[in-house]
Amino acid sequence: MEVEMKIRGLMMDPVTNMPIVVLKDVQGQAILPIWVGVYEANAIALEIEKVQTPRPMTHDLLKNVLLGLEVRVQKVVVNDLKDDTFYALIWVERDGQMMTIDRGRAMRWRWRCAWIARFLSKTKC
């Protein structure tokens, strides 16, 4: 069963001094804290506050690549917890077709950069 959640905020764990992203379901009944790294928390905080950085960050590059390929992220589904690490599927849509990106597929993307380059060369820049 999927539960739609939004970012409620960021906080610091007083014991570990690690950042926590606090997710809250849209119905307001459940909260899911996810411990993240400092860099990830900083990127989320910048986005929440709509702060413009002097140069694009890594997630900005990914966002721009997806926009250039006319791919829209529809949702992110946390689907596993192993060794205190959450794993998720990223659901994307292009031309009415839905597909998921998981960590395995993301690794394969690295090897398919040639395909992306070929695709981009056929599109107008």
Side-chain angles (χ1 to χ4, degrees), residues 18-33:
M18 290 298 295
I20 302 170
V21 175
V22 179
L23 302 178
K24 187 172 185 178
D25 75 329
V26 294
Q27 308 296 335
Q29 299 175 12
I31 292 177
L32 176 64

Side-chain angles (χ1 to χ4, degrees), residues 2 73-80 86-92 98-106 108:
E2 290 182 13
V73 174
Q74 296 297 328
K75 61 183 174 180
V76 177
V77 178
V78 175
N79 66 336
D80 204 359
F86 287 101
Y87 292 91
L89 296 174
I90 303 170
W91 286 84
V92 296
M98 294 285 289
M99 69 175 280
T100 60
I101 301 170
D102 59 20
R103 63 187 166 127
R105 183 164 293 146
R108 289 190 299 273

